[in-house]
Amino acid sequence: MAKGSVWEIGVEDVVAAGLKADEAVAFHEGLRRLVGEEPWEGVEAEVWRVVAESGLLRPAHPHPLHQLVYYSVYATWDRSARGPAPYWFPSPINSKHTNLWQLMERHGPKLLGSSYHDPLMSFSLFQKFSAHHPEIYWSAVIKELSVVFHEAPKSVLDTSEKSKNGGAWFPGAVLNIAECCLLPMESQKRTDESVAILWKMEGSDDSPINYLSLKELRNQVMLVASAIDKIFTKGDAIAIDMPMTCTAVIIYLAIILAGCVVVSIADSFAANEIAKRMEVAKAKGIFTQDFVLRGDNKIPLYSRVIKGTSCVVIVVPAHGNDVGVQLRSHDLSWKDFLYSDGSLLSRSNYPPVYQSADSVTNILFSSGTTGEPKAIPWTHVSPIRCAADSWAHIDIQAGDICCWPTNLGWVMGPIILYSCFLNGATLALYHGSPLGRGFGKFVQDASVTMLGTVPSLVKYWKSSKCMEGLDWTKIRTFGSTGEASDIDDDLWLSSRASYRPIIECCGGTELASSYIQGSLLQPQAFAAFSTPSMSTGFVIFNEQGIPYPDDQPCVGEVGLFPIYMGSTDRLLNADHKKVYFDGMPTYKGMNLRRHGDIIQRTVGNYYIVHGRADDTMNLGGIKTSSVEIERVCNSADENVLETAAVTITSRTRGPEQLVVLVVPKNRSAKCDPEFLRTKFQKAIHNYLNPLFKVSFVKVVPEFPRTASNKLLRRVLRDQLKQEYLTYSRV
């Protein structure tokens, strides 16, 4: 796949990589013109920059050709001594159009004084300033977003209340964040006629794209909010369990506009998981669909929801105007919900319910290590954080068309919703599975400019070759989150859009944001992060709780500075202080906030996430716990004594693979790992989440434990990694 250097690539190598002979000759001549005849020593990054920016490597070229050139350029790159190899480089010309460049040019000279040079040279200094003076940063950034206060805040940050470790943000402010999403904004050139949402149904590849203007969106949200008022009371928690369709987005905004609280539930959950979340949130009702449509398949959803709740269920038809199931007597079809006394409710202006900035608007869930999902409340402030991070790091701007296949039951659903509407961008939704070519054609036809992904999805696109021949060159940035990325998968993805940057994001539901990301003002490396997010400070500490010096290459647990705009200050079903602060080290007088990631700071100041300090795992972008998996697997077969669920990754990192280790009851009996894998997979599908896939099962005589009998999953994980790496080299 790779030569000893780019200068060793011959015409025959280019042919072997997939080009015809005449094309290979022309390509090879072009490559030699770019890199010259004589090797450049120690300047691999500059060689790659010249090649990537020249356009010689085109999206239509076969992936083996991209691999040949990229890996040959970096064949002698010593990652341990020089850090991850960069593939994308900011230029002063293009960077001047980014949001953060313009903000830094306005405020940098005053805030940084003589230390300020320009946004490229001074980015890291500005980021550190924002972490130590977050109130100054946020006073500037809030003006860039579509945030309108009904009553202005008394200040940006109040740290006088010691019970709030993260401070009180925008104290005294009164607003409705859903209303902010629906208003025209002159500074963003957003009018009532601007396209707010565009979407297409799976299976209608050749049909026109559907559009919804800002005015039409506002009218429909007000219509649904009026209907909510007829059934529910202000402050009620109302769940959404359905795909992230245009209708789901309207419902989400309407619940908040009406002064109620959204309860986010992913449409993949089993009935008992739905029941848990409805009970914890004390939900009074739930919006769902009759079915989930995936290609030719109709997957029942309403029938699963009613097994999990006796609350009123409002059922949206997956297709057409009428629901395709028999409803319980107290449930409502979408059509009946929207009608009152036989006539459609008035579309007249619905008055938003204004609330204090710290009022709860959304309850999301994130798994901990106890098996009980943590109920995480978002306030009116949380959306400001996630929209501002997208503004600063992914560079979402007015006029962008943003597509990120996700669900309102996962944190990325609300994040991409607010990132679009508070930045004046268009939200692009595909009503169907993102796995097929139909999704890719939608990205092409909709002229998507920002495409968000999950690494597992990218891996599937690459291996299936389903996106070949599509034009994704309108994309100017990618986003990636949910799990660890793979270098070669990222190479494939970036090459589809002529080597546009992939902004890696790693954070948490409780942060309403990412604590480490990429930046368009810094060189980017595949499967790596280049900076703490704006206004975020953290340290990496060792097993004794001692922080490593700033900028020193190291591996350890991350501890976040407690003053973190947008982060939670409460949990609905757990002790917030115990979960996030107790037992954490102090740093310069600050009690650090727990996040739980083990991260590496490399040479060159990139960051790589190595997994969790606890036993939380990440499967296909969904966080769950070992305990949840083990609880289901322990009951799957009568000969199972106990199980241990861990995840491993390959040498090139990438998505985590679930491995279940088994101690059998009858150790003399032969256990078939594949038989157990099938049983475990079925049990997980039925009782936990069908999206979780068991990669393989290993039968062992016993598990390693501590003196107090605690299971040492980390030891098992390390043993499996060693076995996997040894096997993968064979």
Side-chain angles (χ1 to χ4, degrees), residues 148-153 170 172-176 354-357:
V148 179
F149 293 110
H150 186 66
E151 294 181 21
F170 305 105
V174 174
L175 75 159
N176 187 296
Y354 295 111
Q355 299 173 315
S356 63

Side-chain angles (χ1 to χ4, degrees), residues 72 92 221 223 255 293 615 655:
S72 296
V221 169
L223 169 67
I255 291 172
L293 302 181
D615 291 314

